[in-house]
Amino acid sequence: MVSTTRYILHLRPVLAVLLCVCLSGVLAERALGAEIEACREQFRTGQYAECIETARAAIEEKAFSSEWRALMIESEMALGRYSEAAEDVNSVLQHYSLSLRLLKLGHEAYLNNGQNREASEMLSRIYQIGARRHIDFLDSEDLVILGETLLLLGGEPRVVLEQFYNRALKKDPGYRKAYLAAGELALAKQDYELAARQYREAIKRFGNEPDAHCGLARAFCNSDRAEMIKSLDAALQINPRYAPALIMLAEHQIDCEDYEAAARLLDRVIEVNPWHPEAWAYGALLAHLADDSNAFKTCWANALKFRPTNPLVDHIIGKKLSAKYRFAEGAEFQRGALKFDPDYLPAKIQLAQDLLRLGDEENGWMLADEVHTRDAYNVQAYNLANLRDHLAKFKTISVGGFIVRMDALEAAVYGDRVLKLLTQAKEQLCKKYGIELETPVTVELFPRQQDFAVRTFGMPGGDGFLGVCFGKVITANSPKLESPHNWQAMLWHEFCHVVTLNLTQNRMPRWLSEGISVYEESQRDPAWGQRMTPEFRKMVLEDGLVPVGNLSGAFLNPPTPMHLQFAYYESSLVVEFLIERFGPDSLKLILADLANGAEINATIEKRTVKMDKIEEQFAAFARKRAVDLAPDMNWAEPKPGEIDASDPNALKDWLAAHPNSFRGLTIYAKSLIAQQKYEQAKEPLYKLISLYPQFAGEDNAYFLLAEVHRNLGETEKEREALGKLAENSADAVYAYERLMEIESERADWLQVVAAGDKYLAVYPLTAAVYSQIGRANQELGRTDQAVEAYRPVLLLDPVDPAEVNYRLALMLRHSDKGAAKRHVLEALADAPRFRDAHRLLLEMVKDGDKAQRPGEKD
């Protein structure tokens, strides 16, 4: 007992020392934990130099955690200290050879230094280490790093997502980088909705992280630029030096053609990282767009200084040139990227798209197939493979410098009308602008909107687009009755793009290209194109005009669909203004200057007056056009709930206080029609027409008045109202259809043909319309035109095919006896008791007998 007591007393000093050591260790760990959190905060907020200092101090004090080394290396790369980063990787890996995070950083550091072999070795080491560990014993960080590595080595994305990223999230829902990695993978495979969900969850869980906000911005890039900018602003609030966000904003400004703003943003990146390859790549793009070869060489060399074979540099330049429809130049840069890295799939699929848009289909499809074979999860390549299968079923028509591809049925029905319209456009517009097209123009019409979107944009979407022109290739949706638009006006518009893009070698801002095309639509037919409307009037007079110098940006990020339509209208108004004030030759000279590499505002000043004068004079021109729209009309709008449309007295009271109100008169007329007070409805409708006779938009007075007259049995007056509507509207299908009915009853066959042609310019796949046109031509004695109209009817599942075949046989009886006989036999096959067809067949047989025995008498 005594010895035990002595033993315990003897141990007390030792225990005291051990306790002090343990306590000091705990306190030191807590201090280091606080310091590393401060170091993380420095990195997160862009204090990269301070982060390096903090990390180095901790390392010198023997801080063991590999995260100190990781933060130091990441900060060095953020500052463009690529050589230092590689040296530090070499050093730390001697002591942390099994750290997957440091090995992955080593891969990035070596790549940034152009040490491709060493970078590949890092991936191999990560793979080997991961292969020796059971997946159930990997922590979330290692799971994510292994997943990223497998993707770089060509692993299957679905396996990586399910077995690595999702497993990491399940193991530790608080591991931020798992959300970022899953979002990055979704972006790479163009699943933007999934990407947005991942980044939103990261923001929800971890708050202000610039990488999460920037990832969300990337998810919105192709669909909602306003949300994209909002997310980028959030990232830059946290870290004003965050390069990915600054570069995305610069790219956005380039898309808006605000090159000075883009350059300022790139300067902010280079102030932090003097050798940022993407920043210098965009700088090279700006120099190329400015036709400054010396600046381009400097920027391009700086972009490749540390990694001389970085394919991303040329890929960025080429992709943005293609976004500006400069596909030939873009394709050359993609070829340059593939010289650096023949297996770089982003350049390959972009080159495939460029070649398809340039009309080099053989090589374009070959590259798309190659990418699809290499990466079955590449969405663009997959979509193009499916599209090619659909295109193989199309009919190709090659006539007069055009290669037209259409659905086989549609080609048989109205392919000749397409070619006729395109031929007219080529003759008139090429002569007007003084250009001769040396190679054929390809035109593809897609019955499936999804196929149009894939051919045009590389992915489904693009709702609202009717057609797109790439220079020598036009893609378009074929007509749909459920969403009527005038396909002839659309093709005229797109062919005008062919002319202007080829004149300028695709070096023109979007607003000018669209403005000329809309302007030329209205020159071809006053009902085509766009005109001042009540909505546009309001936007002009309420400071909605976009400065001419910024007009391209109005197409990129419109807050509403109406703003996009206004961008088209305003652009056409600028073109009209330039032609009226400075003559058509000034516009041609501007186009010639653009072809030689001039900047748009500079050439406008050169050929007209200073831009500040242009802005001032155009604003006055647009305001006058707005003020002159129905000048006696009262444009006051009733506030929501101010008047009850079902209460005629309330409407009358409001109209008494707002005489000549456009909205009030329209509401009042519609209310009276709903109550079947047709006679009373005439007064507000006549007043609307007298005040604003050219209005043909929704709820126009002509349409409502025609309804009134029809209900009152006043067919002649209904005809007059519909005729006025048909003059002012390019897609009033109901008016054209009803006019054909009325004119047929009146036996005014010329007007039947005229109304029928207007209908077919909107929807050319209705059998009844061709039948009516055929009968009208037949009545007019125009046999050839009648036959031309009747033939498509048989392809469109007519109600009475026997009657159609009989009429064709009757008209072809003397000019094409073989065809006539086939048609009469088809008529009898469908209707065996068709007496007129039997009689016609007997007469044709007798005619044939007479032809064989010319000397015989009856």
PDB file of all heavy atoms in Angstrom, residues 211-243:
ATOM      1  N   ASP A 211     -18.143  30.555 -56.236  1.00  0.00           N
ATOM      2  CA  ASP A 211     -18.175  29.509 -57.257  1.00  0.00           C
ATOM      3  C   ASP A 211     -19.584  28.968 -57.471  1.00  0.00           C
ATOM      4  O   ASP A 211     -19.966  28.624 -58.596  1.00  0.00           O
ATOM      5  CB  ASP A 211     -17.196  28.377 -56.938  1.00  0.00           C
ATOM      6  CG  ASP A 211     -17.240  27.961 -55.472  1.00  0.00           C
ATOM      7  OD1 ASP A 211     -18.178  28.361 -54.753  1.00  0.00           O
ATOM      8  OD2 ASP A 211     -16.327  27.232 -55.038  1.00  0.00           O
ATOM      9  N   ALA A 212     -20.402  28.918 -56.406  1.00  0.00           N
ATOM     10  CA  ALA A 212     -21.784  28.452 -56.560  1.00  0.00           C
ATOM     11  C   ALA A 212     -22.609  29.462 -57.344  1.00  0.00           C
ATOM     12  O   ALA A 212     -23.393  29.100 -58.239  1.00  0.00           O
ATOM     13  CB  ALA A 212     -22.410  28.199 -55.196  1.00  0.00           C
ATOM     14  N   HIS A 213     -22.457  30.748 -57.017  1.00  0.00           N
ATOM     15  CA  HIS A 213     -23.188  31.784 -57.752  1.00  0.00           C
ATOM     16  C   HIS A 213     -22.764  31.811 -59.224  1.00  0.00           C
ATOM     17  O   HIS A 213     -23.604  31.983 -60.117  1.00  0.00           O
ATOM     18  CB  HIS A 213     -22.951  33.142 -57.106  1.00  0.00           C
ATOM     19  CG  HIS A 213     -23.695  33.341 -55.829  1.00  0.00           C
ATOM     20  ND1 HIS A 213     -25.062  33.480 -55.770  1.00  0.00           N
ATOM     21  CD2 HIS A 213     -23.256  33.417 -54.543  1.00  0.00           C
ATOM     22  CE1 HIS A 213     -25.450  33.634 -54.508  1.00  0.00           C
ATOM     23  NE2 HIS A 213     -24.375  33.602 -53.744  1.00  0.00           N
ATOM     24  N   CYS A 214     -21.488  31.653 -59.474  1.00  0.00           N
ATOM     25  CA  CYS A 214     -21.005  31.671 -60.868  1.00  0.00           C
ATOM     26  C   CYS A 214     -21.502  30.447 -61.627  1.00  0.00           C
ATOM     27  O   CYS A 214     -21.851  30.536 -62.807  1.00  0.00           O
ATOM     28  CB  CYS A 214     -19.474  31.727 -60.876  1.00  0.00           C
ATOM     29  SG  CYS A 214     -18.785  32.167 -62.483  1.00  0.00           S
ATOM     30  N   GLY A 215     -21.559  29.296 -60.954  1.00  0.00           N
ATOM     31  CA  GLY A 215     -22.111  28.103 -61.591  1.00  0.00           C
ATOM     32  C   GLY A 215     -23.566  28.298 -61.966  1.00  0.00           C
ATOM     33  O   GLY A 215     -24.004  27.907 -63.058  1.00  0.00           O
ATOM     34  N   LEU A 216     -24.328  28.927 -61.062  1.00  0.00           N
ATOM     35  CA  LEU A 216     -25.733  29.204 -61.360  1.00  0.00           C
ATOM     36  C   LEU A 216     -25.844  30.158 -62.552  1.00  0.00           C
ATOM     37  O   LEU A 216     -26.733  30.001 -63.403  1.00  0.00           O
ATOM     38  CB  LEU A 216     -26.416  29.803 -60.131  1.00  0.00           C
ATOM     39  CG  LEU A 216     -27.923  30.025 -60.227  1.00  0.00           C
ATOM     40  CD1 LEU A 216     -28.657  28.724 -60.512  1.00  0.00           C
ATOM     41  CD2 LEU A 216     -28.454  30.658 -58.940  1.00  0.00           C
ATOM     42  N   ALA A 217     -24.946  31.118 -62.628  1.00  0.00           N
ATOM     43  CA  ALA A 217     -24.936  32.038 -63.775  1.00  0.00           C
ATOM     44  C   ALA A 217     -24.705  31.269 -65.072  1.00  0.00           C
ATOM     45  O   ALA A 217     -25.358  31.531 -66.087  1.00  0.00           O
ATOM     46  CB  ALA A 217     -23.844  33.087 -63.589  1.00  0.00           C
ATOM     47  N   ARG A 218     -23.819  30.305 -65.058  1.00  0.00           N
ATOM     48  CA  ARG A 218     -23.557  29.501 -66.263  1.00  0.00           C
ATOM     49  C   ARG A 218     -24.786  28.693 -66.657  1.00  0.00           C
ATOM     50  O   ARG A 218     -25.055  28.490 -67.846  1.00  0.00           O
ATOM     51  CB  ARG A 218     -22.366  28.586 -66.033  1.00  0.00           C
ATOM     52  CG  ARG A 218     -21.050  29.342 -65.892  1.00  0.00           C
ATOM     53  CD  ARG A 218     -19.939  28.441 -65.407  1.00  0.00           C
ATOM     54  NE  ARG A 218     -19.656  27.390 -66.358  1.00  0.00           N
ATOM     55  CZ  ARG A 218     -19.038  26.244 -66.043  1.00  0.00           C
ATOM     56  NH1 ARG A 218     -18.675  26.016 -64.798  1.00  0.00           N
ATOM     57  NH2 ARG A 218     -18.796  25.340 -66.976  1.00  0.00           N
ATOM     58  N   ALA A 219     -25.538  28.233 -65.655  1.00  0.00           N
ATOM     59  CA  ALA A 219     -26.765  27.479 -65.956  1.00  0.00           C
ATOM     60  C   ALA A 219     -27.804  28.352 -66.641  1.00  0.00           C
ATOM     61  O   ALA A 219     -28.624  27.865 -67.422  1.00  0.00           O
ATOM     62  CB  ALA A 219     -27.331  26.884 -64.668  1.00  0.00           C
ATOM     63  N   PHE A 220     -27.780  29.663 -66.364  1.00  0.00           N
ATOM     64  CA  PHE A 220     -28.747  30.585 -66.958  1.00  0.00           C
ATOM     65  C   PHE A 220     -28.259  31.214 -68.260  1.00  0.00           C
ATOM     66  O   PHE A 220     -29.033  31.911 -68.924  1.00  0.00           O
ATOM     67  CB  PHE A 220     -29.076  31.712 -65.976  1.00  0.00           C
ATOM     68  CG  PHE A 220     -30.003  31.315 -64.866  1.00  0.00           C
ATOM     69  CD1 PHE A 220     -29.643  31.497 -63.540  1.00  0.00           C
ATOM     70  CD2 PHE A 220     -31.235  30.750 -65.141  1.00  0.00           C
ATOM     71  CE1 PHE A 220     -30.498  31.136 -62.517  1.00  0.00           C
ATOM     72  CE2 PHE A 220     -32.095  30.382 -64.122  1.00  0.00           C
ATOM     73  CZ  PHE A 220     -31.724  30.574 -62.801  1.00  0.00           C
ATOM     74  N   CYS A 221     -27.023  30.988 -68.626  1.00  0.00           N
ATOM     75  CA  CYS A 221     -26.404  31.737 -69.726  1.00  0.00           C
ATOM     76  C   CYS A 221     -27.195  31.660 -71.024  1.00  0.00           C
ATOM     77  O   CYS A 221     -27.335  32.654 -71.732  1.00  0.00           O
ATOM     78  CB  CYS A 221     -24.974  31.240 -69.940  1.00  0.00           C
ATOM     79  SG  CYS A 221     -24.084  32.133 -71.235  1.00  0.00           S
ATOM     80  N   ASN A 222     -27.720  30.491 -71.342  1.00  0.00           N
ATOM     81  CA  ASN A 222     -28.408  30.315 -72.627  1.00  0.00           C
ATOM     82  C   ASN A 222     -29.902  30.577 -72.562  1.00  0.00           C
ATOM     83  O   ASN A 222     -30.571  30.548 -73.590  1.00  0.00           O
ATOM     84  CB  ASN A 222     -28.178  28.888 -73.155  1.00  0.00           C
ATOM     85  CG  ASN A 222     -26.742  28.650 -73.523  1.00  0.00           C
ATOM     86  OD1 ASN A 222     -26.090  29.510 -74.099  1.00  0.00           O
ATOM     87  ND2 ASN A 222     -26.217  27.481 -73.170  1.00  0.00           N
ATOM     88  N   SER A 223     -30.425  30.846 -71.351  1.00  0.00           N
ATOM     89  CA  SER A 223     -31.871  30.974 -71.243  1.00  0.00           C
ATOM     90  C   SER A 223     -32.336  32.288 -70.635  1.00  0.00           C
ATOM     91  O   SER A 223     -33.394  32.803 -70.993  1.00  0.00           O
ATOM     92  CB  SER A 223     -32.437  29.822 -70.398  1.00  0.00           C
ATOM     93  OG  SER A 223     -31.879  29.833 -69.094  1.00  0.00           O
ATOM     94  N   ASP A 224     -31.548  32.844 -69.706  1.00  0.00           N
ATOM     95  CA  ASP A 224     -32.022  34.035 -68.991  1.00  0.00           C
ATOM     96  C   ASP A 224     -30.814  34.877 -68.596  1.00  0.00           C
ATOM     97  O   ASP A 224     -30.233  34.694 -67.520  1.00  0.00           O
ATOM     98  CB  ASP A 224     -32.820  33.612 -67.753  1.00  0.00           C
ATOM     99  CG  ASP A 224     -33.568  34.783 -67.116  1.00  0.00           C
ATOM    100  OD1 ASP A 224     -33.131  35.938 -67.302  1.00  0.00           O
ATOM    101  OD2 ASP A 224     -34.589  34.537 -66.433  1.00  0.00           O
ATOM    102  N   ARG A 225     -30.455  35.804 -69.474  1.00  0.00           N
ATOM    103  CA  ARG A 225     -29.266  36.615 -69.210  1.00  0.00           C
ATOM    104  C   ARG A 225     -29.451  37.514 -67.987  1.00  0.00           C
ATOM    105  O   ARG A 225     -28.486  37.837 -67.298  1.00  0.00           O
ATOM    106  CB  ARG A 225     -28.906  37.448 -70.444  1.00  0.00           C
ATOM    107  CG  ARG A 225     -28.299  36.635 -71.603  1.00  0.00           C
ATOM    108  CD  ARG A 225     -26.935  36.094 -71.222  1.00  0.00           C
ATOM    109  NE  ARG A 225     -26.366  35.231 -72.234  1.00  0.00           N
ATOM    110  CZ  ARG A 225     -25.399  35.608 -73.074  1.00  0.00           C
ATOM    111  NH1 ARG A 225     -24.913  36.830 -73.018  1.00  0.00           N
ATOM    112  NH2 ARG A 225     -24.917  34.748 -73.943  1.00  0.00           N
ATOM    113  N   ALA A 226     -30.668  37.938 -67.717  1.00  0.00           N
ATOM    114  CA  ALA A 226     -30.893  38.786 -66.550  1.00  0.00           C
ATOM    115  C   ALA A 226     -30.559  38.032 -65.269  1.00  0.00           C
ATOM    116  O   ALA A 226     -29.895  38.565 -64.369  1.00  0.00           O
ATOM    117  CB  ALA A 226     -32.342  39.274 -66.515  1.00  0.00           C
ATOM    118  N   GLU A 227     -31.018  36.774 -65.172  1.00  0.00           N
ATOM    119  CA  GLU A 227     -30.682  35.953 -64.014  1.00  0.00           C
ATOM    120  C   GLU A 227     -29.197  35.653 -63.969  1.00  0.00           C
ATOM    121  O   GLU A 227     -28.596  35.569 -62.894  1.00  0.00           O
ATOM    122  CB  GLU A 227     -31.494  34.648 -64.035  1.00  0.00           C
ATOM    123  CG  GLU A 227     -32.941  34.815 -63.626  1.00  0.00           C
ATOM    124  CD  GLU A 227     -33.087  35.253 -62.174  1.00  0.00           C
ATOM    125  OE1 GLU A 227     -32.327  34.768 -61.312  1.00  0.00           O
ATOM    126  OE2 GLU A 227     -33.946  36.106 -61.905  1.00  0.00           O
ATOM    127  N   MET A 228     -28.593  35.464 -65.126  1.00  0.00           N
ATOM    128  CA  MET A 228     -27.152  35.225 -65.181  1.00  0.00           C
ATOM    129  C   MET A 228     -26.386  36.396 -64.570  1.00  0.00           C
ATOM    130  O   MET A 228     -25.498  36.215 -63.730  1.00  0.00           O
ATOM    131  CB  MET A 228     -26.707  35.013 -66.638  1.00  0.00           C
ATOM    132  CG  MET A 228     -25.226  34.751 -66.800  1.00  0.00           C
ATOM    133  SD  MET A 228     -24.653  34.924 -68.507  1.00  0.00           S
ATOM    134  CE  MET A 228     -24.427  36.712 -68.588  1.00  0.00           C
ATOM    135  N   ILE A 229     -26.743  37.599 -65.004  1.00  0.00           N
ATOM    136  CA  ILE A 229     -26.054  38.790 -64.504  1.00  0.00           C
ATOM    137  C   ILE A 229     -26.288  38.949 -63.003  1.00  0.00           C
ATOM    138  O   ILE A 229     -25.372  39.313 -62.255  1.00  0.00           O
ATOM    139  CB  ILE A 229     -26.510  40.026 -65.284  1.00  0.00           C
ATOM    140  CG1 ILE A 229     -26.017  39.929 -66.738  1.00  0.00           C
ATOM    141  CG2 ILE A 229     -26.008  41.315 -64.640  1.00  0.00           C
ATOM    142  CD1 ILE A 229     -26.612  40.946 -67.663  1.00  0.00           C
ATOM    143  N   LYS A 230     -27.487  38.655 -62.557  1.00  0.00           N
ATOM    144  CA  LYS A 230     -27.800  38.733 -61.126  1.00  0.00           C
ATOM    145  C   LYS A 230     -26.894  37.795 -60.330  1.00  0.00           C
ATOM    146  O   LYS A 230     -26.359  38.169 -59.273  1.00  0.00           O
ATOM    147  CB  LYS A 230     -29.272  38.375 -60.910  1.00  0.00           C
ATOM    148  CG  LYS A 230     -29.742  38.435 -59.469  1.00  0.00           C
ATOM    149  CD  LYS A 230     -31.221  38.067 -59.396  1.00  0.00           C
ATOM    150  CE  LYS A 230     -31.700  37.982 -57.954  1.00  0.00           C
ATOM    151  NZ  LYS A 230     -33.132  37.559 -57.888  1.00  0.00           N
ATOM    152  N   SER A 231     -26.698  36.582 -60.831  1.00  0.00           N
ATOM    153  CA  SER A 231     -25.840  35.619 -60.140  1.00  0.00           C
ATOM    154  C   SER A 231     -24.377  36.043 -60.186  1.00  0.00           C
ATOM    155  O   SER A 231     -23.641  35.876 -59.207  1.00  0.00           O
ATOM    156  CB  SER A 231     -26.005  34.225 -60.767  1.00  0.00           C
ATOM    157  OG  SER A 231     -27.302  33.735 -60.547  1.00  0.00           O
ATOM    158  N   LEU A 232     -23.940  36.591 -61.305  1.00  0.00           N
ATOM    159  CA  LEU A 232     -22.558  37.063 -61.406  1.00  0.00           C
ATOM    160  C   LEU A 232     -22.313  38.235 -60.464  1.00  0.00           C
ATOM    161  O   LEU A 232     -21.255  38.326 -59.828  1.00  0.00           O
ATOM    162  CB  LEU A 232     -22.240  37.463 -62.848  1.00  0.00           C
ATOM    163  CG  LEU A 232     -22.194  36.311 -63.853  1.00  0.00           C
ATOM    164  CD1 LEU A 232     -21.977  36.848 -65.261  1.00  0.00           C
ATOM    165  CD2 LEU A 232     -21.092  35.316 -63.494  1.00  0.00           C
ATOM    166  N   ASP A 233     -23.279  39.114 -60.371  1.00  0.00           N
ATOM    167  CA  ASP A 233     -23.152  40.234 -59.425  1.00  0.00           C
ATOM    168  C   ASP A 233     -23.022  39.713 -57.998  1.00  0.00           C
ATOM    169  O   ASP A 233     -22.242  40.248 -57.198  1.00  0.00           O
ATOM    170  CB  ASP A 233     -24.356  41.163 -59.542  1.00  0.00           C
ATOM    171  CG  ASP A 233     -24.319  42.015 -60.802  1.00  0.00           C
ATOM    172  OD1 ASP A 233     -23.227  42.110 -61.415  1.00  0.00           O
ATOM    173  OD2 ASP A 233     -25.366  42.572 -61.180  1.00  0.00           O
ATOM    174  N   ALA A 234     -23.788  38.670 -57.675  1.00  0.00           N
ATOM    175  CA  ALA A 234     -23.709  38.090 -56.329  1.00  0.00           C
ATOM    176  C   ALA A 234     -22.318  37.510 -56.074  1.00  0.00           C
ATOM    177  O   ALA A 234     -21.757  37.663 -54.982  1.00  0.00           O
ATOM    178  CB  ALA A 234     -24.772  37.003 -56.168  1.00  0.00           C
ATOM    179  N   ALA A 235     -21.762  36.840 -57.098  1.00  0.00           N
ATOM    180  CA  ALA A 235     -20.409  36.281 -56.942  1.00  0.00           C
ATOM    181  C   ALA A 235     -19.383  37.380 -56.725  1.00  0.00           C
ATOM    182  O   ALA A 235     -18.487  37.264 -55.869  1.00  0.00           O
ATOM    183  CB  ALA A 235     -20.050  35.452 -58.178  1.00  0.00           C
ATOM    184  N   LEU A 236     -19.514  38.473 -57.466  1.00  0.00           N
ATOM    185  CA  LEU A 236     -18.532  39.557 -57.379  1.00  0.00           C
ATOM    186  C   LEU A 236     -18.722  40.397 -56.119  1.00  0.00           C
ATOM    187  O   LEU A 236     -17.783  41.088 -55.694  1.00  0.00           O
ATOM    188  CB  LEU A 236     -18.610  40.426 -58.630  1.00  0.00           C
ATOM    189  CG  LEU A 236     -18.118  39.717 -59.899  1.00  0.00           C
ATOM    190  CD1 LEU A 236     -18.435  40.539 -61.133  1.00  0.00           C
ATOM    191  CD2 LEU A 236     -16.622  39.431 -59.825  1.00  0.00           C
ATOM    192  N   GLN A 237     -19.898  40.352 -55.526  1.00  0.00           N
ATOM    193  CA  GLN A 237     -20.084  40.997 -54.228  1.00  0.00           C
ATOM    194  C   GLN A 237     -19.227  40.299 -53.168  1.00  0.00           C
ATOM    195  O   GLN A 237     -18.683  40.932 -52.269  1.00  0.00           O
ATOM    196  CB  GLN A 237     -21.557  40.951 -53.818  1.00  0.00           C
ATOM    197  CG  GLN A 237     -22.442  41.944 -54.543  1.00  0.00           C
ATOM    198  CD  GLN A 237     -22.177  43.378 -54.128  1.00  0.00           C
ATOM    199  OE1 GLN A 237     -21.903  43.658 -52.967  1.00  0.00           O
ATOM    200  NE2 GLN A 237     -22.249  44.289 -55.085  1.00  0.00           N
ATOM    201  N   ILE A 238     -19.119  38.995 -53.302  1.00  0.00           N
ATOM    202  CA  ILE A 238     -18.322  38.216 -52.349  1.00  0.00           C
ATOM    203  C   ILE A 238     -16.828  38.358 -52.657  1.00  0.00           C
ATOM    204  O   ILE A 238     -16.011  38.569 -51.770  1.00  0.00           O
ATOM    205  CB  ILE A 238     -18.724  36.727 -52.416  1.00  0.00           C
ATOM    206  CG1 ILE A 238     -20.225  36.568 -52.174  1.00  0.00           C
ATOM    207  CG2 ILE A 238     -17.930  35.901 -51.413  1.00  0.00           C
ATOM    208  CD1 ILE A 238     -20.781  35.256 -52.672  1.00  0.00           C
ATOM    209  N   ASN A 239     -16.512  38.227 -53.949  1.00  0.00           N
ATOM    210  CA  ASN A 239     -15.106  38.267 -54.380  1.00  0.00           C
ATOM    211  C   ASN A 239     -15.006  39.133 -55.630  1.00  0.00           C
ATOM    212  O   ASN A 239     -15.231  38.652 -56.734  1.00  0.00           O
ATOM    213  CB  ASN A 239     -14.599  36.854 -54.663  1.00  0.00           C
ATOM    214  CG  ASN A 239     -13.141  36.828 -55.088  1.00  0.00           C
ATOM    215  OD1 ASN A 239     -12.521  37.870 -55.308  1.00  0.00           O
ATOM    216  ND2 ASN A 239     -12.575  35.634 -55.203  1.00  0.00           N
ATOM    217  N   PRO A 240     -14.681  40.409 -55.459  1.00  0.00           N
ATOM    218  CA  PRO A 240     -14.613  41.317 -56.616  1.00  0.00           C
ATOM    219  C   PRO A 240     -13.523  40.949 -57.615  1.00  0.00           C
ATOM    220  O   PRO A 240     -13.497  41.489 -58.710  1.00  0.00           O
ATOM    221  CB  PRO A 240     -14.311  42.684 -55.976  1.00  0.00           C
ATOM    222  CG  PRO A 240     -14.650  42.533 -54.534  1.00  0.00           C
ATOM    223  CD  PRO A 240     -14.391  41.104 -54.202  1.00  0.00           C
ATOM    224  N   ARG A 241     -12.651  40.015 -57.245  1.00  0.00           N
ATOM    225  CA  ARG A 241     -11.542  39.629 -58.116  1.00  0.00           C
ATOM    226  C   ARG A 241     -11.749  38.229 -58.698  1.00  0.00           C
ATOM    227  O   ARG A 241     -10.811  37.640 -59.234  1.00  0.00           O
ATOM    228  CB  ARG A 241     -10.231  39.672 -57.327  1.00  0.00           C
ATOM    229  CG  ARG A 241     -10.030  40.985 -56.578  1.00  0.00           C
ATOM    230  CD  ARG A 241      -8.857  40.903 -55.623  1.00  0.00           C
ATOM    231  NE  ARG A 241      -7.596  41.186 -56.286  1.00  0.00           N
ATOM    232  CZ  ARG A 241      -6.400  40.835 -55.809  1.00  0.00           C
ATOM    233  NH1 ARG A 241      -6.325  40.160 -54.677  1.00  0.00           N
ATOM    234  NH2 ARG A 241      -5.302  41.136 -56.472  1.00  0.00           N
ATOM    235  N   TYR A 242     -12.976  37.718 -58.575  1.00  0.00           N
ATOM    236  CA  TYR A 242     -13.245  36.342 -58.993  1.00  0.00           C
ATOM    237  C   TYR A 242     -13.224  36.249 -60.517  1.00  0.00           C
ATOM    238  O   TYR A 242     -14.156  36.696 -61.203  1.00  0.00           O
ATOM    239  CB  TYR A 242     -14.583  35.885 -58.427  1.00  0.00           C
ATOM    240  CG  TYR A 242     -14.836  34.411 -58.583  1.00  0.00           C
ATOM    241  CD1 TYR A 242     -13.985  33.465 -58.017  1.00  0.00           C
ATOM    242  CD2 TYR A 242     -15.933  33.956 -59.291  1.00  0.00           C
ATOM    243  CE1 TYR A 242     -14.217  32.116 -58.147  1.00  0.00           C
ATOM    244  CE2 TYR A 242     -16.190  32.599 -59.422  1.00  0.00           C
ATOM    245  CZ  TYR A 242     -15.318  31.679 -58.857  1.00  0.00           C
ATOM    246  OH  TYR A 242     -15.547  30.336 -59.001  1.00  0.00           O
ATOM    247  N   ALA A 243     -12.182  35.666 -61.049  1.00  0.00           N
ATOM    248  CA  ALA A 243     -11.940  35.675 -62.495  1.00  0.00           C
ATOM    249  C   ALA A 243     -13.056  35.027 -63.310  1.00  0.00           C
ATOM    250  O   ALA A 243     -13.468  35.590 -64.337  1.00  0.00           O
ATOM    251  CB  ALA A 243     -10.596  35.018 -62.806  1.00  0.00           C
TER     252      ALA A 243
END
